Amino acid sequence: MTFVYSILLLIMAVILANFIAQKFTFFPQSIWQIILGLLCAMTPSLSSYIVNLDPEWFMMLIIAPLLFFEGQQTQGRVISQNIRNILRLSILLALITMLFLGWGIHHFLNWPFAVALALAAIVTPTDATALNSVNKGLVMPKGVLRSLNLESMFNDATGIVALELAIVWINTGHLSVGEALRKFVFVALGGIVFGFVAGFLAIHLRKYLLRKQFDDMTAQVMLQLLTPIVIYVAAEEIGVSGIISAVIAGIIHHEERSRTLLVSAQMNNLITQLWKIITQVLNGIVFVILGLSLVPILKSILGLRLEKSAGIIMTAFLIYASMLILRYFYALYDAKRVNKEIPEGVFKDALVFSLGGVHGTVTLAMAFSLPLFLANHQVFKVRESILTVSALVILFSLVVPLILLPRFLPKEREAFDINELDQAYNEIVNAALSYIATLEISDKRRQKLTQRIQTQRGYKYNKDPETWNQVIKQLDYVRNRAVENAIEDDLLSTDAIKLWDRMNESKKYKQQNVKRIKKRIMYRHMLYRLWERLLNLFLTDKQKTEYRLKKYRRRIDKLQQKKERTVNNEERADIQANITKFERKISLIQVYGNAEQKDRWIKALQEIDDAMADDVAVFVEKVDEQNADKGLVVALREKINNEKLAARTQLDIENQQNIDLMNVLQFELGFIKERNTAGKYSAHLTKVLYDDIIAAQSIILEVGA
């Protein structure tokens, strides 16, 4: 169970760190994840659940899936066009870095060259995911960014093979250069061939299962999620690079997905979304583990004498600085080789390339993979020192770019901000409500449809009180004028005129008591809605009517008694107003409880609605034209619809509601396309809006809504 608790702790730390990073953006997500790992390791009640993850499991369950997904994001054409650049970066630059660092560590620290080479091999591989955490929000040169990503996909294998050879050298005391080269070529080329073959077989296995009608979505998705793990394990078993095999298999899967995009679009979309979530979780776990690992490392440093702990920190910094210098001059040399001279702008690109060599997951895994004991059963004494230096190099590689890159790289312009997105949703909802008003459907269906479309905004409109009150006053004036004109033209029946007078009387009562109502309205409304729902569960319509009549009569009796005991005339007037309110409610219940009377008053209400309809529609369109804030218009439409249906009860069919909603969503897609064509919405904003609406349509078709 301790292992299970450890995994849960890691995931919870990732969740919390991601939320904190969203709120406090001065540190990138990865730094917050490291900080949470530190806090977990320093908290006694939590640190007891932490177990050390076996490096082999770490490589298999975390590194292989991450690199497989990176491969899935890379086109085979990009690899073939940049093959020479990949070889120079992942092999030539990696080997030069290892040899230079190995010589420096051997010369200045007096470590055996084999041990120095082991440390150099560990700190050489770069990590594209760690880079993404420090360059977020910055515009990096495209060529440099592509080179960094390609380098990080393949130099892991170079570092791992070099580390294996260094450990052999440490254990045996000698190493044949020819044998080392043969092993390196076998492991690297073997990994490429095996990854290609294994990826090809995995794809054809899934296609064969689909042809034989074994198309269960869950099984197919799980099959692909397990693919990188199986390929990694199989490659390592036969002695080739599992890392390279996972990358190549991912690239092969990218090509397959692009060719079957329309054949299995739903499955491809599901797998892509799952992989994105999984990789985010795995990357977060890696940085939390780094934070956990730093605690014993920092304790060991603090436990040393000041000069010795300062020496370890300085060693790590000098190793990192040496890699920066090597990478900088390599970038200049490569630019001169291509252009025959060094272009002016290449110095900045070289500096970005140098700082972009961020270290992370593989470096940490390789450091943990060092043996505790050597072949002669002696303790590997420098293991802790190598682990400490490696962890500090990772930290330096994260912190230094975080400080320096923003100083000379431009900030990334957001495709759109949150206010623009909110405004777009308000415009879409407003257009959809206008479209709903033209549909020939029942009022109840229109109300339900309006309520469901409202949820696209994700929140209620935060009305500006002054503007809102002004608009409502104008609406009331338009309504009153329309009904008065209808009365003068003798267009309303006696019942409609009586109902209009009653509605106005009720409105006046509410205005007189608005201050008193506001003090208690929130809690009373919540309790009332809860009680209403309980009544709907257990009582019939007739029982609910009888219950309300008894309740109102009891309240009238209590108020009558209170009125008789009250001497103050002002209080007596307030009590009488309350009595009148409950008497009106009883009258309404009795009227609407009678089917004939109910139909009579619904017809009267319809007359009033018809009399106001044209003028109200013109008023809403005028407000729409005059206000850039479409949230105000949406809220106004919602108020009109809710008031219009306050006294109506009609039957509706859920399936028909979904059909109506699908039609409205389709209208919204057309509206978005028109706004994009007119240049009102950017391509990125259009994609976000399209994705939301298409996802909603898919859910309705799949499970209803």
Side-chain angles (χ1 to χ4, degrees), residues 483 486-487 490-501 600-601 603-608 611:
V483 175
I487 294 172
D490 200 21
L491 298 176
L492 294 183
S493 65
T494 305
D495 285 343
I497 296 172
K498 287 181 179 178
L499 180 59
W500 178 249
D501 291 339
R600 173 184 165 190
W601 290 112
K603 288 178 182 177
L605 182 60
Q606 186 62 53
E607 288 184 48
I608 296 173

Side-chain angles (χ1 to χ4, degrees), residues 648-679:
R648 301 186 180 186
T649 54
Q650 295 180 17
L651 297 176
D652 204 350
I653 302 174
E654 188 67 26
N655 186 49
Q656 186 60 49
Q657 290 179 21
N658 289 335
I659 294 172
D660 292 338
L661 185 56
M662 287 291 291
N663 291 333
V664 175
L665 292 176
Q666 195 62 38
F667 165 82
E668 289 185 351
L669 290 175
F671 176 81
I672 295 168
K673 184 178 179 181
E674 289 176 3
R675 301 287 286 179
N676 175 251
T677 304

Side-chain angles (χ1 to χ4, degrees), residues 1-107:
M1 288 299 292
T2 305
F3 180 77
V4 176
Y5 291 146
S6 180
I7 296 298
L8 290 175
L9 177 62
L10 291 174
I11 294 175
M12 290 301 298
V14 171
I15 293 171
L16 184 57
N18 288 3
F19 282 140
I20 294 174
Q22 193 176 16
K23 179 66 175 177
F24 304 102
T25 56
F26 48 84
F27 285 153
Q29 202 173 75
S30 57
I31 298 297
W32 284 116
Q33 290 161 349
I34 292 172
I35 292 172
L36 262 291
L38 282 166
L39 293 176
C40 288
M42 290 189 296
T43 305
S45 58
L46 297 178
S47 60
S48 60
Y49 294 117
I50 299 170
V51 296
N52 293 323
L53 189 62
D54 189 299
E56 292 184 6
W57 283 85
F58 189 83
M59 296 291 288
M60 179 181 69
L61 296 178
I62 295 179
I63 306 301
L66 286 174
L67 293 176
F68 179 82
F69 180 72
E70 283 187 26
Q72 279 190 316
Q73 307 309 301
T74 307
Q75 296 179 356
R77 175 174 52 83
V78 174
I79 300 296
S80 61
Q81 290 176 349
N82 293 273
I83 187 66
R84 292 183 179 180
N85 193 29
I86 291 171
L87 292 175
R88 284 194 293 268
L89 290 170
S90 61
I91 297 179
L92 181 61
L93 177 59
L95 290 176
I96 291 173
T97 303
M98 290 177 202
L99 292 173
F100 181 83
L101 290 178
W103 175 84
I105 294 167
H106 168 68
H107 183 76

Side-chain angles (χ1 to χ4, degrees), residues 415-425 680-682 685:
F416 57 86
D417 59 25
I418 189 65
N419 292 328
E420 187 179 354
L421 181 63
D422 290 342
Q423 180 65 8
Y425 272 119
K680 301 292 185 180
Y681 294 163
S682 65
L685 177 59

Side-chain angles (χ1 to χ4, degrees), residues 476-496:
D476 288 340
Y477 173 76
V478 169
R479 284 170 161 171
N480 288 329
R481 186 185 61 185
V483 175
E484 287 171 2
N485 289 339
I487 294 172
E488 288 178 6
D489 296 337
D490 200 21
L491 298 176
L492 294 183
S493 65
T494 305
D495 285 343

